[in-house]
């Protein structure tokens, strides 16, 4: 589960990660608030625009130990975990629920008309954080 262009990094804290694509953890809640909802199954009725709703994408995390690491989930919020990583010349790859894969530029990371859920914080290829 490794992106061929993502530099493998050796970690000494927590566990050594071995993935660079993350699964969206926010499909069952609103991207306009931090409140959580009870867990629910993903169904066709829940997703109104599958061509804009991503499920897996390029990911990176910044853990409590303050070191960038590979990450198996992505979240829309601006916390320290589970962020999208725009490592392909300012773009990130996403797999959408309608089955297509697309390379999205970082400028569209917070555009709800392009990505759902959209992002509040992302990282670029230099591991610099951008907050929208």
């Amino acid at each position: 589960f490794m992106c061929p262009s993502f530099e493998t990094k050796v970690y000494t804290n927590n566990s050594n990660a071995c993935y660079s694509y993350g699964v969206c953890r926010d499909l069952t809640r609103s991207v306009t608030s931090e409140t959580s909802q009870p867990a629910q199954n993903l169904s066709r009725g829940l997703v109104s625009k599958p061509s804009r709703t991503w499920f897996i994408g390029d990911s990176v995390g910044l853990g409590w130990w303050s070191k960038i690491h590979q990450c198996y989930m992505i979240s829309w919020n601006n916390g320290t975990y589970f962020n999208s990583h725009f490592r392909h010349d300012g773009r990130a790859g996403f797999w959408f629920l309608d089955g297509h894969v697309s390379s999205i530029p970082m400028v569209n990371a917070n555009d709800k008309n392009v990505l759902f859920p959209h992002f509040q914080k992302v990282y670029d290829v230099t591991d610099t954080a951008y907050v929208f």
Side-chain angles (χ1 to χ4, degrees):
F1 214 52
M2 289 294 301
C3 175
S5 68
F6 191 55
E7 176 186 343
T8 302
K9 301 176 182 183
V10 177
Y11 304 99
T12 57
N13 291 317
N14 207 347
S15 62
N16 289 336
C18 58
Y19 30 70
S20 60
Y21 300 113
V23 174
C24 180
R25 64 174 276 211
D26 297 309
L27 287 179
T28 59
R29 73 173 182 195
S30 168
V31 296
T32 60
S33 73
E34 191 62 49
T35 60
S36 61
Q37 294 177 343
Q40 52 185 291
N41 293 324
L42 188 60
S43 66
R44 281 188 186 171
L46 184 64
V47 179
S48 62
K49 296 188 174 29
S51 65
R52 292 196 311 233
T53 307
W54 60 273
F55 185 60
I56 296 175
D58 288 319
S59 65
V60 71
L62 181 63
W64 56 268
W65 54 88
S66 299
K67 292 185 180 186
I68 292 287
H69 64 283
Q70 287 114 341
C71 193
Y72 64 96
M73 284 193 281
I74 308 176
S75 181
W76 69 275
N77 69 19
N78 61 357
T80 57
Y81 296 99
F82 317 137
N83 297 113
S84 187
H85 199 229
F86 286 75
R87 59 178 161 261
H88 302 288
D89 294 323
R91 302 174 79 87
F94 293 94
W95 179 74
F96 291 81
L97 289 180
D98 69 347
H100 86 277
V101 176
S102 187
S103 175
I104 304 295
M106 190 164 45
V107 69
N108 292 126
N110 193 260
D111 187 341
K112 64 184 176 183
N113 295 312
V114 177
L115 287 175
F116 176 82
H118 56 279
F119 296 102
Q120 290 186 354
K121 180 179 180 182
V122 298
Y123 286 86
D124 70 7
V125 69
T126 65
D127 295 335
T128 302
Y130 292 85
V131 178
F132 298 98

